[in-house]
Amino acid sequence: MNPKTNKKPTQPKIPNIMNQIVIAIFIFMAITVAYTFFTKKGDDVKKMAISDVAKSVVDGTIEKITVSGGDINIDFKDKTKGIAKKELESSLSETLYNYGVTPAQITSTPIEIKTESGFMYWILSILPFLLPVFLIMFLFWMLTRQAKGQGMQAFTFGQSKARITDPDDKNNKVTFKDVAGAKEAKEELKEIVDFLKNPKKFLDIGARIPKGVLLTGQPGTGKTLLARAVAGEAEVPFFHLSGSEFVEMFVGVGASRVRDLFKMAKKAAPSIVFIDEIDAVGRVRGTGVGGGNDEREQTLNQILVEMDGFEPNEKVIVMAATNRGDVLDPALLRPGRFDRRVLLDLPDRKDREDILAIHSRKKPFAEDVNLKVIAERTPGFSGADLFSIMNEGAILAAREDRKKIAQFDLVRSIEKVMMGPERKSHLLSKQEKEITAYHEAGHALVASVLPHADPVHKVSIVSRGSAGGYTLKLPLEERRLQSKKEFLDDIAMSLGGYVAEEMVFGDITTGPSNDLQVATSLARAMVTRWGMSSEIGPIALESDGGRTMFGQGVNDKEYSERVSALIDGEVSKIMNNAFAVAKQVLTEKRKVLDAIASKLIEVETLEQAEYNEIIVANGIVPKKRKK
Ligand code: ADP
Ligand code: MG
Ligand code: ZN
């Protein structure tokens, strides 16, 4: 099930071209030699006059005569051979008769006639001309292959390289059963499956079918797996292509690949086109500073064109996966394109146990194996990591010639997987866990208490990227308008983690650094873009987009030093106010803060319902999700 088994072969090196030419020349020489050898008459074949042949027939020394074209080949009874030239105008028996051989003598000698129009004769006469042509074609073919190896793709230009998974292929079939956890994601995707299975039901009622589904989540959270499971459940063809495969040397190749891919998918509809790692082509398109990557932009444009070009009843659904939803071009996320977004989180304890269970199928375990313990010990591990644990465990057991995998093997593989690159941040120490729990509880509680903040969806201390945990509170759909009050509450909420850490532990970690950045830039935008500061008033000092250079935003400053100082003053006023608000909330509700934090330490992830239970028990009314 490893999607990486389909890698391109490694590219041959340049000296190979020389090798190939040498080989070609060698083959050419060999063929020439063989040709002359086989067509040459051996030295032991004696040339004879036709009269001698007649004499031999009369003598009865001939075993067999073979006539082929103008040649008469004679096999004598004493195993010698002879060759003679025939008169072209008359047949052999006629000629022999003329030389005085009686008809009885002629019939007593077997004569085999190979007709001149025989296939072999024809081939043999044409081969000398064809051979060089073949050779040139062969050489050309070799060079072409070589060129392809060099990544030029000159001769397969646009053809899509998509891998197709056939719905009838039982061996590679993946279904939702093979994906543990990810409940919400599966729920969303079931709808897609439903549609692919029974499009008529939806179309008849006039429903517009989503064209694109974007799966976001950290590496190894099962995005690729889930996409394949959708195809498996729906039993439709699945066209799988990776974003990085679009990017080729020649401009235009990516775009024509996209065209081919979609053409194939439409032919096979209902079907799924899956573009893995779409961030490779779908990053925010630059405004030209520093030179954009034309190839990428064209590919991306083509994807957009294809998606827009779908007829309303086209039964092709485009799925895409990315680790970095934040860098995607906004054009991709517009309604009518990837308008469904499915977020995949790192698994929590229960999910980890389920994933381990899935990957223990077909693995013989010793009595002492306890997957729950393994799940407890692997906070922050992704599905792919857990898969590795199981695999490493099996390898360890096999290496020590045991027939069953023991708990001890699995525990050792945890370390092995953890020691892998960049896994250190995964494992939270007990103290880190506590700090993270209070930090996230701080965010969540401020959000629940302040009237204009968004409701809390989920709180988790399962680490995510550089952050220790996360609090999910944004409604998934984009908002058009946001008010000043909402922004102020948002900023206070962002500072909730910082305030909680300071209050509870009397110290601050590097954990909230990202929160501070987010809050500060929001405050700054309020002042400089949206005219939300009374000091500065309704002036937009900065434009919305800014330019991008080397992937980072650069803002053109269009104001003086004095205004700049004024801005800084306003920003820090907003931040300080927000800090005070957050501090007040958390001080007043310290008891609730403790309750949320301790529950988090216990279960790691709180879904909305569980979270609401805690705050309701402490007299806070949970908010309804805003429309
Ligand atoms: P991504 O595409 O998100 O980087 P993959 O889908 O390639 O991750 O997952 C890699 C492997 O990890 C899968 O092939 C599967 O074996 C395992 N895996 C990941 N998530 C899950 C899950 N939820 N349930 C079962 N296995 C999983
Ligand atoms: Mg993947
Ligand atoms: Zn935070």
Side-chain angles (χ1 to χ4, degrees), residues 70-207:
D71 290 339
I72 304 169
N73 296 292
I74 303 113
D75 292 284
F76 289 102
K77 285 182 178 153
D78 60 2
K79 299 293 170 217
T80 58
K81 288 171 194 272
I83 185 165
K85 286 280 172 215
K86 188 175 80 77
E87 293 166 6
L88 284 175
E89 311 77 56
S90 51
S91 75
L92 179 63
S93 41
E94 228 177 307
T95 312
L96 290 176
Y97 184 74
N98 290 343
Y99 277 92
V101 185
T102 65
Q105 285 164 329
I106 292 175
T107 41
S108 71
T109 311
I111 298 177
E112 191 189 319
I113 311 236
K114 283 192 177 156
T115 45
E116 263 184 59
S117 58
F119 181 68
M120 272 315 284
Y121 179 82
W122 189 76
I123 284 286
L124 279 177
S125 47
I126 205 166
L127 200 61
F129 305 102
L130 276 186
L131 210 59
V133 177
F134 279 142
L135 264 168
I136 289 168
M137 276 164 58
F138 176 72
L139 253 172
F140 191 65
W141 174 74
M142 290 255 257
L143 286 173
T144 316
R145 242 180 31 157
Q146 207 59 44
K148 255 201 283 188
Q150 303 295 320
M152 285 161 70
Q153 306 281 347
F155 298 88
T156 48
F157 237 52
Q159 280 165 35
S160 161
K161 281 209 210 144
R163 293 180 289 278
I164 302 169
T165 310
D166 194 30
D168 303 323
D169 183 355
K170 292 281 178 287
N171 289 332
N172 287 317
K173 188 165 168 158
V174 181
T175 62
F176 282 153
K177 275 208 209 75
D178 300 304
V179 188
K183 263 183 243 82
E184 295 155 46
K186 278 203 243 175
E187 212 47 58
E188 289 245 4
L189 291 172
K190 271 203 188 110
E191 215 179 286
I192 305 290
V193 171
D194 245 12
F195 164 68
L196 286 168
K197 268 191 156 162
N198 198 353
K200 200 167 170 306
K201 184 171 87 182
F202 289 82
L203 294 172
D204 281 353
I205 207 162

Side-chain angles (χ1 to χ4, degrees), residues 455 457 475-477 608 623-627:
H457 272 295
L476 280 176
E477 60 269 27
Q608 191 168 27
K623 278 179 273 192
K624 291 270 177 298
R625 189 171 164 172
K626 271 182 268 184
K627 272 285 153 222

Side-chain angles (χ1 to χ4, degrees), residues 548-567:
T548 44
M549 187 185 274
F550 310 120
Q552 284 191 321
V554 244
N555 279 319
D556 306 289
K557 287 217 168 69
E558 290 157 2
Y559 40 79
S560 66
E561 287 296 313
R562 191 187 63 85
V563 176
S564 179
L566 210 57
I567 292 172

Side-chain angles (χ1 to χ4, degrees), residues 414-432:
I414 295 179
E415 272 158 47
K416 216 169 163 186
V417 172
M418 216 162 51
M419 301 290 220
E422 294 168 56
R423 288 287 179 265
K424 288 227 173 68
S425 67
H426 270 339
L427 196 68
L428 299 178
S429 70
K430 192 167 166 296
Q431 203 206 353
E432 279 171 330

Side-chain angles (χ1 to χ4, degrees), residues 358-622:
I358 280 187
H359 293 296
S360 28
R361 288 180 199 159
K362 289 193 221 149
K363 287 199 172 68
F365 281 142
E367 309 277 278
D368 67 335
V369 168
N370 184 344
L371 295 183
K372 192 165 172 223
V373 172
I374 304 294
E376 270 161 15
R377 289 211 192 171
T378 47
F381 276 51
S382 70
D385 293 335
L386 296 169
F387 169 79
S388 299
I389 288 182
M390 279 300 171
N391 198 39
E392 291 291 338
I395 290 172
L396 281 173
R399 233 177 20 204
E400 290 164 16
D401 289 327
R402 274 175 287 122
K403 293 267 176 287
K404 287 181 174 171
I405 304 167
Q407 181 79 350
F408 168 61
D409 296 320
L410 297 179
V411 172
R412 276 188 297 169
S413 8
I414 295 179
E415 272 158 47
K416 216 169 163 186
V417 172
M418 216 162 51
M419 301 290 220
E422 294 168 56
R423 288 287 179 265
K424 288 227 173 68
S425 67
H426 270 339
L427 196 68
L428 299 178
S429 70
K430 192 167 166 296
Q431 203 206 353
E432 279 171 330
K433 210 168 165 180
E434 244 170 64
I435 294 175
T436 313
Y438 269 100
H439 178 106
E440 297 307 328
H443 283 308
L445 189 54
V446 173
S448 292
V449 171
L450 294 182
H452 303 287
D454 287 309
V456 175
H457 272 295
K458 187 172 186 169
V459 196
S460 173
I461 55 167
V462 176
S463 78
R464 222 185 192 199
S466 60
Y470 59 95
T471 299
L472 206 63
K473 51 104 208 170
L474 265 183
L476 280 176
E477 60 269 27
E478 226 139 292
R479 278 181 299 200
R480 289 287 145 88
L481 294 174
Q482 223 182 335
S483 71
K484 180 175 172 182
K485 282 178 186 159
E486 282 168 348
F487 281 131
L488 289 175
D489 283 2
D490 267 0
I491 294 171
M493 185 258 175
S494 295
L495 293 179
Y498 177 92
V499 174
E501 278 188 40
E502 195 197 30
M503 260 174 58
V504 177
F505 301 97
D507 196 3
I508 289 163
T509 64
T510 52
S513 70
N514 184 52
D515 294 338
L516 295 181
Q517 275 170 26
V518 171
T520 313
S521 60
L522 193 54
R524 216 186 154 76
M526 286 175 68
V527 175
T528 60
R529 288 197 213 158
W530 302 316
M532 290 177 178
S533 123
S534 48
E535 280 293 313
I536 293 181
I539 302 172
L541 294 165
E542 276 162 19
S543 62
D544 261 4
R547 290 180 298 144
T548 44
M549 187 185 274
F550 310 120
Q552 284 191 321
V554 244
N555 279 319
D556 306 289
K557 287 217 168 69
E558 290 157 2
Y559 40 79
S560 66
E561 287 296 313
R562 191 187 63 85
V563 176
S564 179
L566 210 57
I567 292 172
D568 288 343
E570 283 295 286
V571 170
S572 64
K573 204 159 91 192
I574 292 176
M575 294 295 285
N576 286 334
N577 277 342
F579 179 86
V581 169
K583 181 139 194 166
Q584 193 196 343
V585 169
L586 295 184
T587 314
E588 274 173 19
K589 314 269 184 197
R590 175 66 196 255
K591 221 182 83 211
V592 197
L593 182 71
D594 290 337
I596 300 170
S598 66
K599 188 78 186 169
L600 268 178
I601 293 169
E602 190 189 330
V603 299
E604 294 176 14
T605 301
L606 287 173
E607 295 293 340
Q608 191 168 27
E610 301 163 277
Y611 172 79
N612 283 349
E613 226 170 82
I614 301 174
I615 60 171
V616 168
N618 288 283
I620 299 172
V621 186

